[in-house]
Amino acid sequence: MSGVPYTAIGVMPPGFTDLIAERLYQGAEVWVPLGYDPAAGFACRTCRHLRMFGRLAPGRTIDAAQSDVSGISAALEQEYPTDYHQAGMRVTSLSELFLGPVRPVLLALWAGVVVLLLVACSNVASLLLLRASERTNEIAVRGALGVTQGRMARQLITESVLLAALGGAAAWLPAWAAVRLLTLSAPADLPRLADVSIDVRVVVVALAITMMSGVIFGLAPLRQLMRRHPAGTMQGAGKRTDSAATWRVRSALVAVNVAMAAVLLVGSGLLVRSLTSLLAVSPGVDPRGVVTMQIWGSGPRFVADGPAAQIAAAVSFYESVPTRVRALPGVTSAAAVTTLPLGGGRDGYGLHIEGRPLANPAEAPSGDRFVVTPDYFATVRIPLVRGRFIDERDQQGRDAVIVINRQMADAMFPGEDPIGHRISLGPPSAPPRRIVGIVGDVRHHGLDAPMRAQVYVPHAQWVWAETLLTLVVRADSNPAALVTPIRELVRAIDPAQPITKVRLYEAVVAESMGTLRFAAWLLGLFAASALVLAVVGLYGALGVVVGQRRQEIAVRIALGAGAPSIRKMVLAQALAPVVAGLAAGLFVAGLSVGALGSLLYNVTALDPTTFAGVAMLLGTCAIATCLLPAFRASRIEPAAALRSE
């Protein structure tokens, strides 16, 4: 590999996944011992680019491990005061490393699932109550024939559980399809989502929740049925209209549905507004018409004696590739960079201004470092603010130069011109570099991330050979059509060089918002489902109530009540639980959406526009749902209704 012979000493078992390598280093298929050439530029104590992993001893905690490594760090600092001055080490659990950035998303989605389950169960309970009102005579007859209440309760619970079991069984095929869709479309930031599947554990948990839901919500109609007196029921008492207590239970369920729908609508609305705000943010680069691909220069071409020769070999290769790519038909410009903005990489360095030493160098500001080849800024269209870009003049052995972004210029050189000043990257003892240009800011760590200082260094002037670079190519029409010619061109220069991560830059930028887009899409789907369930539950409950009050309404009309008063009466009865549920839902949403804080951008958790929009949407849907039963009630023919009585 890379011109170095290795002996295979082991094979990992089938299905093995190196979670650390997959999450932090884009996967691994081969593992080799870590070894450094002491003469290499990156083999230094100040080059802290490795991660160390350890397993806690039994009974030890993260805090105890932190104390241990802090002692080691202090000893190293004492032994090597220049290299380890105020360096420090931080211990982090793997779960926090993997799940920390996405935990708010997972918790929000989990809460959405629970809320949607409650809405569905509440709807089922409401339907069971409506069904129970139609079975009062049947239950009364059974009671008169000697069937005990316990026996009837078991029958009703059995029916509810059977209904839940049928619904749960019918959900397996859609659930399997939904899981497949999620694993294919979910963002890469959610760890191990591609490995999610419906296994035995999922089946057992889902069956348990289904059965438990069937039992709990199947109890809703029991009290209504068991409290009726058989003789009175069979004589016709309460035959047509349920009691006020029964309606209170139904209205409470309607209110719960509306409240839960309001919570989900507010959460999804906030995420959608955040996503809309992010889409309006300029990333600082123009990804349109750009294709990117990663080249990891390796092999005999890059093997040389001494750091200077290694740098020369790397510079020669990464100058020849963009130069030949620019000659391809349809190519506007081409260049290479160590870390692609918004591509997920991080490369931070301390910044020290020459002539302005700090009492504690560890307190120096830090910035993102980009090693670039000439024509990089024109390719990704980062604008020049002042000075000049990096170009062919900046070669090895000449005056070391650097280009900084506007944010760094304003923060580190307030009220003065940074051009001509010299700064060091890394330790204060690093060779200083003269600032020759200021460019626009780039949203490197995400469209919603705070802007950081950014420095750009010529590839030919870095202190060691940078061989892992991303080639960026701008085309005048179809950038995807250039992939094959570029592959052939690189292969012609050196067939040993692998090309990976071939992507359109627009897809890279869109992927940086993948987690928020995914959460907004799923919560929006949950909210829409909850809204439909709430509307259906309200319509069903009101329709049954109007049917039960048919004779009462007929009498009112016969006594002179007009159609508007009948509609007003029905709407008032239906909208009362809607208003109560909406108020409760907005209140709960105000208390709970703070958990979405890390996912929100340019919008507050208590955004009045979102809350007002949800109130208007739910209110409009509720009124539209109630109008049909209300108009139907106002058109009842008194003679026909009373004749059936």
Side-chain angles (χ1 to χ4, degrees):
M1 296 185 298
S2 301
V4 179
Y6 290 86
T7 301
I9 61 172
V11 180
M12 301 307 292
F16 171 78
T17 300
D18 185 344
L19 183 60
I20 295 172
E22 178 185 15
R23 183 63 176 162
L24 302 179
Y25 307 107
Q26 292 81 48
E29 297 172 334
V30 177
W31 294 261
V32 299
L34 177 65
Y36 274 156
D37 178 0
F42 51 79
C44 59
R45 292 186 178 275
T46 56
C47 304
R48 301 180 186 109
H49 55 281
L50 298 177
R51 294 178 183 265
M52 182 173 65
F53 299 90
R55 183 175 295 279
L56 290 178
R60 302 291 285 175
T61 64
I62 293 290
D63 292 337
Q66 180 65 66
S67 177
D68 292 342
V69 299
S70 296
I72 297 174
S73 178
L76 286 172
E77 181 181 345
Q78 184 175 3
E79 186 175 357
Y80 304 96
T82 303
D83 295 336
Y84 287 102
H85 183 70
Q86 296 290 327
M89 301 182 189
R90 184 168 60 90
V91 178
T92 305
S93 67
L94 274 184
S95 62
E96 179 63 27
L97 182 66
F98 293 159
L99 296 178
V102 298
R103 183 173 283 112
V105 175
L106 298 178
L107 292 178
L109 295 180
W110 177 247
V113 170
V114 173
V115 170
L116 189 58
L117 175 64
L118 291 176
V119 173
C121 290
S122 177
N123 238 24
V124 171
S126 180
L127 293 174
L128 291 176
L129 278 173
L130 297 178
R131 172 63 175 160
S133 65
E134 300 174 356
R135 301 180 64 182
T136 53
N137 286 341
E138 172 196 343
I139 298 300
V141 170
R142 290 175 179 269
L145 294 177
V147 178
T148 64
Q149 290 190 349
R151 175 67 182 85
M152 284 190 288
R154 288 195 298 273
Q155 177 181 338
L156 293 174
I157 293 296
T158 300
E159 293 175 358
S160 175
V161 170
L162 180 60
L163 180 65
L166 291 175
W172 284 115
L173 184 58
W176 178 84
V179 169
R180 290 291 300 167
L181 178 63
L182 289 179
T183 56
L184 293 176
S185 61
D189 290 344
L190 294 179
R192 306 201 70 180
L193 192 59
D195 298 332
V196 171
S197 62
I198 299 179
D199 56 14
V200 176
R201 294 172 296 174
V202 175
V203 173
V204 171
V205 172
L207 285 177
I209 294 177
T210 300
M211 296 298 103
M212 184 171 58
S213 301
V215 171
I216 294 176
F217 290 91
L219 296 174
L222 283 181
R223 183 170 176 269
Q224 172 189 345
L225 292 174
M226 297 307 178
R227 70 167 181 259
R228 294 183 183 267
H229 194 276
T233 300
M234 289 186 292
Q235 289 173 359
K239 175 183 177 183
R240 298 296 181 185
T241 306
D242 283 337
S243 66
T246 300
W247 170 247
R248 282 196 295 270
V249 175
R250 291 179 187 168
S251 62
L253 292 175
V254 170
V256 168
N257 283 350
V258 173
M260 296 296 99
V263 171
L264 288 178
L265 284 170
V266 168
S268 62
L270 290 173
L271 291 182
V272 169
R273 281 180 57 81
S274 296
L275 184 60
T276 303
S277 298
L278 277 179
L279 292 175
V281 173
S282 172
V285 296
D286 183 4
R288 295 170 298 180
V290 176
V291 64
T292 70
M293 55 192 71
Q294 193 175 82
I295 304 177
W296 195 325
S298 58
R301 169 185 288 270
F302 299 96
V303 176
D305 296 330
Q310 294 173 353
I311 294 174
V315 170
S316 174
F317 177 77
Y318 283 106
E319 282 185 351
S320 62
V321 170
T323 300
R324 297 194 188 185
V325 169
R326 293 188 200 107
L328 293 174
V331 173
T332 303
S333 59
V337 60
T338 48
T339 308
L340 185 68
L342 293 173
R346 294 176 179 269
D347 194 2
Y349 276 73
L351 307 173
H352 307 271
I353 304 176
E354 186 181 44
R356 303 179 186 178
L358 298 173
N360 181 6
E363 296 177 353
S366 63
D368 297 318
R369 183 214 63 155
F370 301 87
V371 174
V372 302
T373 64
D375 212 26
Y376 168 74
F377 299 99
T379 302
V380 296
R381 293 182 178 172
I382 298 176
L384 180 66
V385 177
R386 192 159 62 255
R388 70 173 178 89
F389 288 136
I390 291 170
D391 55 31
E392 288 76 6
R393 291 174 288 178
D394 306 312
Q395 297 296 324
Q396 190 177 10
R398 295 188 179 181
D399 183 29
V401 301
I402 195 170
V403 171
I404 66 175
N405 68 328
R406 188 200 304 266
Q407 195 275 343
M408 177 177 169
D410 294 340
M412 297 186 65
F413 301 94
E416 58 180 315
D417 187 0
I419 303 297
H421 284 273
R422 297 163 66 88
I423 62 174
S424 298
L425 302 184
S429 58
R433 300 172 180 273
R434 181 170 55 88
I435 300 175
V436 296
I438 304 172
V439 296
D441 298 325
V442 176
R443 299 276 182 177
H444 175 56
H445 297 292
L447 296 180
D448 58 339
M451 189 65 67
R452 284 171 49 90
Q454 295 159 355
V455 295
Y456 301 86
V457 181
H459 182 241
Q461 293 186 345
W462 190 236
V463 294
W464 66 71
E466 287 282 6
T467 58
L468 175 59
L469 274 74
T470 297
L471 182 68
V472 288
V473 180
R474 178 170 294 278
D476 53 13
S477 57
N478 181 17
L482 295 172
V483 174
T484 300
I486 293 174
R487 284 185 181 274
E488 294 175 352
L489 186 150
V490 174
R491 190 176 297 115
I493 296 174
D494 189 342
Q497 307 311 316
I499 296 179
T500 59
K501 293 186 178 180
V502 179
R503 296 179 293 177
L504 293 177
Y505 202 1
E506 285 185 288
V508 175
V509 175
E511 189 177 293
S512 68
M513 298 182 291
T515 299
L516 180 59
R517 195 189 304 270
F518 181 71
W521 181 78
L522 271 188
L523 273 186
L525 181 62
F526 294 162
S529 302
L531 178 61
V532 170
L533 288 175
V535 167
V536 170
L538 175 61
Y539 180 82
L542 186 58
V544 171
V545 169
V546 169
Q548 291 176 340
R549 299 182 64 181
R550 182 180 178 84
Q551 281 71 32
E552 173 199 341
I553 294 173
V555 171
R556 291 177 180 270
I557 295 176
L559 293 177
S565 64
I566 296 298
R567 289 194 290 269
K568 182 178 180 181
M569 177 190 68
V570 174
L571 287 174
Q573 183 178 14
L575 293 180
V578 172
V579 172
L582 181 57
L586 294 178
F587 178 76
V588 172
L591 296 178
S592 58
V593 293
L596 297 176
S598 61
L599 300 177
L600 302 182
Y601 177 77
N602 203 26
V603 61
T604 63
L606 299 178
D607 177 51
T609 302
T610 302
F611 278 74
V614 169
M616 291 180 61
L617 175 62
L618 273 173
T620 302
C621 292
I623 292 174
T625 301
C626 298
L627 283 178
L628 182 58
F631 273 98
R632 192 167 58 209
S634 65
R635 295 175 181 176
I636 291 177
E637 291 291 338
L642 295 176
R643 188 181 304 115
S644 64
E645 178 69 14

